[in-house]
Amino acid sequence: MQLTVWTYEGPPHVGAMRIATAMRDIHYVLHAPQGDTYADLLFTMIERRQKRPPVTYTTFQARDLGSDTAQLFQDAARDAYERFKPKAMLVGASCTAELIQDDPGGLSDALELPIPVVTLELPSYQKKENWGAAETFYQIVRKLAGPKAPPPGTKPAPRDPARRARCNLLGPTALGFRHRDDLKEISGLLAQIGVDINVIAPFDASPDDITRLGDADFNIVLYPEIAMPAAGWLQRTFGQPMVKTVPIGMGATCDFIREVAALAGVDASALLDDPNSRAPWYAKSVDSTYLTGKRVFVFGDATHAIAAARIATRELGFTVVGLGTYSRELAREVREAAKLYGVEAMITEDYLEVEAAITELNVELLLGTQMERHIAKRLGVPCAVISAPVHVQDYPARYSPQMGFEGANVIFDTWVHPLMMGLEEHLLGMFREDFEFHAEAAPSHLGGAASERRAEPAAAPIADVFALAVETDDDVEVIEAEGPIDPVWSPEGEKELGKIPFFVRGKARRNTEAYAREFGVRVITVEALYDAKAHFSR
Amino acid sequence: MSAALAAVPVVVRPKAAGGCSDAPVLKERGQREVFCGLTGIIWLHRKIQDAFFLIVGSRTCAHLMQSAAGVMIFAEPRFGTAIIDERDLAGMSDANDELDRVVAQLLSRRPDIKLLFLVGSCPSEVIKLDLSRAAERLGRSYSPNVRVLNYSGSGIETTFTQGEDACLAALVPGLPATNVKSLMVVGALADVVEDQFRRLFAAIGIADVQFLPPRRSTLLPVVGPNTHYLLAQPFLADTARALEGRGATRLEAPFPLGVEGTTAWFEAAAREWNIPDAKFQAAIAPAATRASAALSRIRHQLAGKRIFFFPDSQLEIPLARFLSRELEMNLVEVGTPFLHRQHLATELEMLPAGTMLSEGQHVENQLDRCRAAQPDIVVCGLGLANPLEAEGMTTKWAIELVFTPIQGYEQAADLAELFARPLVRRAKLAA
């Protein structure tokens, strides 16, 4: 068992729902207990969809367990077919139905429905939402595009040079973080360089569209968490190469365009020379100088975390002090990326572990998910959201892609917004005693009630500890002999520390204590504080 | 109705003979678009301030909780999930050790917790993990600092508000015993409502009214053969049974929604305590008059409008009674997940004769009926609300009725307002 406060991903059948809801003319019959229909409101409320998800739940209850839950499933599947007349059907079980083992696949085969039925085996006690979405998409693609597969070993015929290259865009789903606008942005880029789109899937694709996937020259994997297994199968089966670079950030978008252009045999230099994006100039302008070296912690799904780390370091000049993901399927990629920034990748789905790491690292900006916003609020750290899971406000009405050149503009604004502005930061460093403009006040442009300045922390406890340390000098000696000493702050040292701007104060405290331990300083005075500062600024 | 009630200035429709007491109820089975009982934790964890709710379940349960509540709350909640994984499914003894470990981890993180609920879910029920024994075992290890109780909030056994019923029923055996005549109000109420009720009872002449659940686990109400209890919520069947097992007696009353319901509810207690009519009248008159005046200002927005209830919380029948009698709305269909005939006897009597009642759900059939009827306003869950709005209907999402103070006199107009607002909004946006 695992103690969970927040969970980054839902169960795998929610991933399957994201695929079904993204598509047209498909229906999902889910064997699940009463109550699991809560998942509908993810789509109707958070994503504000205007239709119910195409999902029929059996919603069995305790009294049904004594009788025939298998019959209940068959009735639900037959009724769903009659009512909705889909062109393909998904059948599967949720976590509880998995325990009662009714075999939705076999039961629906026995119904002999006149449409393709895709049976989903989603192990709820091992796997999670993104895996469920990837597996569902893969099974749909295999089932529907499979019959058109050429015999194994067939070389794809070379494209007629008179015909424009065409690609599939794979990965965008329902409940995806900015999938709607990313799709528009990338479609626009492809149009600009003269590449046609064969099929976009699963977003708005019908089962008929899926059968046409093989007609494309290559595949673009926009969201590897969702589309990589399907794209891998298409590559093996139809010989379609795939574009793996995810176009989030200026650099990545240019790499992406180069990669697409090479596969499509088009010249994209005009677009690359003049990408018409403001983000690089904004980052270069002197107003952004104060962003240099800001300590950033990045956490999210693997794709967005890797992209964010690259943007943070190379395009905004931040320092990445932590990089992590909850996507175990892509842990290797995140580890590789973390090496570029000299940090250890954090692969975990444990919210408490992420919180502990962020607390330890003294972060100045947190780039994460909805869950990191909780952590940021608790620690008083500025935060921007870069990845699912997200809240309703991250399905905005306005155009707000993360991908492509406009995506880079959106990202610049979003990430800089929560930071205190440069002048404000300087004034805080100069005037520590200001009554309205102080460390505990929220960035003024974020509004909120002005917080009263907290009373100066009482010096007494620190003084007491200090006195105690002096009085029990002999004991300290003994402890020192057995292990590392624990330095104590003198009241003056503590007060001087308080003059350091709050966003670097924790770091200063830690460095000074490390210095004191290294050089055997038992009491940290003002002198010791500045010795440490000089030591670390070498 | 008694003389006391008749004297209160309320505009109510004359009671149709027999109301809906013997009315046929459409019982349907099929897909049920409802929450499971785990969702009760969302308000119970705010009400009982030193309690923690540990769900023993799957990732789905954790996801439900954060989808239904978590994304709306930025504070550290006092609930969590012990997610069962494959290793736990392999052997039962292992699962108990794991639970002990998780509880130890939890209590060391939250030393302020005095009451821990182990909440059963569908997966834990299906694998027959014995949480009552686990609660006993853990209760012994953490006594006297932490009490450990258990109940089931699983979807297979409970629907939405029934989770509160199961939770309160689990509290009843641990209530201290008494022989003194006492009044207990049962059902989680907003703190502001609880305070109003306490003041009104005092004015009527009934002191020391106790509330279940209490605000802190250390302030448990006492119970015994001379305890009389009033249900503040219609979904408390098991809690009522447990209280009766301890000798307590239920006071028959409609639920305290609207002026009429609230007056009759207080009156049930006043009668039992033999309070003189004049004193009762004097005590309630200011609030009742104020509430009636406030309602009359909203009535024109709702009078004559046709309302359709999808099943959700069991509050539907009392709400329908309030809306039809005090606001002159017309009831198209009143759906409820579960109909407790005894607890709702008075409510059913007061419903207009011929009201279409349904229990249980076949959501597709019910949607067909709703579309055919084209009501002016539909009360439904969040899974249906936006899709119905997109079809052109006006909806009121039902869950809000559980999270908002709606009981009592001072809230009567707020309650009416909850139904008026979507209609006003539609009119404004169209203009």
Side-chain angles (χ1 to χ4, degrees), chain B residues 17-24 341 347-357:
Chain B
C20 282
S21 299
D22 305 314
R341 286 207 165 265
E347 295 283 355
L348 288 171
E349 263 174 46
M350 294 164 80
L351 275 186
T355 303
M356 157 93 174
L357 300 174

Side-chain angles (χ1 to χ4, degrees), chain B residues 20-25 339-346 348 357:
Chain B
C20 282
S21 299
D22 305 314
V25 177
L339 178 60
H340 194 295
R341 286 207 165 265
Q342 216 183 337
H343 289 179
L344 287 165
T346 320
L348 288 171
L357 300 174

Side-chain angles (χ1 to χ4, degrees), chain B residues 9 258-259 285-297 299 326 408-413:
Chain B
V259 177
T289 311
R290 195 160 54 225
S292 295
L295 279 181
S296 69
R297 284 192 290 273
R299 190 171 300 115
E326 297 187 45
Y409 293 119
E410 314 304 344
Q411 285 68 236

Side-chain angles (χ1 to χ4, degrees), chain B residues 172 223 229 239-250 342-343:
Chain B
V172 172
V223 68
Y229 70 92
T239 309
R241 200 174 309 124
L243 285 169
E244 275 157 29
R246 298 283 308 263
T249 315
R250 184 172 70 92
Q342 216 183 337
H343 289 179

Side-chain angles (χ1 to χ4, degrees), chain A residues 1-11 13-14 33-38 40-42 44-46 48-52 55-65 79 83-84 95-96 99-100 125-129 349 352 355 370-371 373-374 377-378 390-391, chain B residues 29-36 54 56 58-60 62-64 66-67 70-71 73-77 80-89 95 98-99 101-102 105-106 109 122-123 126-127 129 155-159 363-365 367-368 382-384 386-387 390:
Chain A
M1 279 180 203
Q2 193 207 340
L3 176 61
T4 311
V5 186
W6 302 116
T7 147
Y8 286 101
E9 291 184 75
H13 71 260
V14 169
Q34 164 176 270
D36 279 4
T37 52
Y38 81 86
D40 282 357
L41 67 88
L42 302 171
T44 61
M45 295 301 291
I46 296 180
R48 280 189 247 241
R49 284 188 172 250
Q50 300 195 328
K51 276 188 187 162
R52 292 170 62 213
V55 182
T56 293
Y57 306 76
T58 55
T59 61
F60 57 83
Q61 292 175 272
R63 60 180 178 198
D64 300 316
L65 292 178
D79 289 353
R83 183 176 278 267
F84 299 103
C95 52
T96 304
L99 297 171
I100 60 177
Y125 298 91
Q126 282 173 31
K127 303 291 190 184
K128 302 195 293 290
E129 179 178 329
E349 51 265 308
L352 300 176
E355 186 182 67
Q370 182 61 24
M371 306 313 155
R373 281 166 66 152
H374 292 247
K377 187 192 171 198
R378 198 169 163 178
V390 291
H391 209 335
Chain B
R29 296 192 62 182
Q31 178 175 322
R32 294 168 68 109
E33 187 83 17
V34 290
F35 278 137
C36 66
L54 180 66
V56 181
S58 64
R59 183 169 301 280
T60 311
H63 194 238
L64 155 82
Q66 81 179 35
S67 309
V71 290
I73 300 177
F74 261 127
E76 168 128 337
T81 310
I83 295 186
I84 297 171
D85 58 32
E86 274 206 308
R87 289 173 301 121
D88 303 308
L89 295 176
E98 282 290 289
L99 186 58
R101 184 182 58 76
V102 166
Q105 189 189 351
L106 169 70
R109 187 178 152 84
C122 300
V126 167
I127 65 169
L129 186 59
I156 56 177
E157 290 157 308
T158 58
T159 304
V363 72
E364 305 295 351
N365 290 351
L367 280 167
D368 287 346
L382 294 172
L384 299 177
N386 273 336

Side-chain angles (χ1 to χ4, degrees), chain B residues 200-265:
Chain B
L200 270 175
F201 278 120
I204 292 168
I206 308 173
D208 296 333
V209 178
Q210 312 181 83
F211 289 82
L212 182 71
R215 294 187 199 183
R216 300 193 70 81
S217 68
T218 45
L219 304 171
L220 290 172
V222 295
V223 68
N226 292 313
T227 301
H228 296 268
Y229 70 92
L230 269 174
L231 292 180
Q233 303 280 14
F235 42 72
L236 299 171
D238 289 349
T239 309
R241 200 174 309 124
L243 285 169
E244 275 157 29
R246 298 283 308 263
T249 315
R250 184 172 70 92
L251 296 176
E252 173 66 39
F255 292 91
L257 298 172
V259 177
E260 188 185 25
T262 305
T263 301
W265 189 78

Side-chain angles (χ1 to χ4, degrees), chain A residues 483-507:
Chain A
I485 59 156
D486 220 1
V488 176
W489 287 82
S490 73
E492 295 76 21
E494 185 85 26
K495 203 168 174 208
E496 197 69 14
L497 180 71
K499 295 176 187 168
I500 295 169
F502 70 96
F503 40 85
V504 286
R505 197 182 304 151
K507 177 86 180 157

Side-chain angles (χ1 to χ4, degrees), chain B residues 79-243:
Chain B
F79 59 79
T81 310
I83 295 186
I84 297 171
D85 58 32
E86 274 206 308
R87 289 173 301 121
D88 303 308
L89 295 176
M92 300 299 291
S93 58
D94 193 13
N96 280 311
D97 292 348
E98 282 290 289
L99 186 58
D100 291 0
R101 184 182 58 76
V102 166
V103 168
Q105 189 189 351
L106 169 70
L107 291 177
S108 67
R109 187 178 152 84
R110 297 299 301 262
D112 50 323
I113 297 306
K114 298 273 174 279
L115 174 61
L116 174 66
F117 284 104
L118 301 179
V119 188
S121 65
C122 300
S124 74
E125 297 293 330
V126 167
I127 65 169
K128 306 245 181 287
L129 186 59
D130 193 340
L131 290 182
S132 66
R133 278 180 56 191
E136 257 174 58
R137 182 181 68 239
L138 287 160
R140 279 195 300 276
S141 348
Y142 291 99
S143 167
N145 296 330
V146 185
R147 283 209 306 145
V148 185
L149 296 176
N150 111 284
Y151 72 89
S152 172
S154 73
I156 56 177
E157 290 157 308
T158 58
T159 304
F160 194 30
T161 47
Q162 281 179 312
E164 175 175 328
D165 187 26
C167 173
L168 300 191
L171 277 171
V172 172
L175 301 184
T178 182
N179 279 319
V180 179
K181 178 158 176 150
S182 59
L183 178 63
M184 191 194 294
V185 172
V186 187
L189 291 168
D191 291 348
V192 60
V193 176
E194 201 177 293
D195 294 342
Q196 288 166 12
F197 282 7
R198 216 183 282 277
R199 285 197 298 271
L200 270 175
F201 278 120
I204 292 168
I206 308 173
D208 296 333
V209 178
Q210 312 181 83
F211 289 82
L212 182 71
R215 294 187 199 183
R216 300 193 70 81
S217 68
T218 45
L219 304 171
L220 290 172
V222 295
V223 68
N226 292 313
T227 301
H228 296 268
Y229 70 92
L230 269 174
L231 292 180
Q233 303 280 14
F235 42 72
L236 299 171
D238 289 349
T239 309
R241 200 174 309 124
L243 285 169

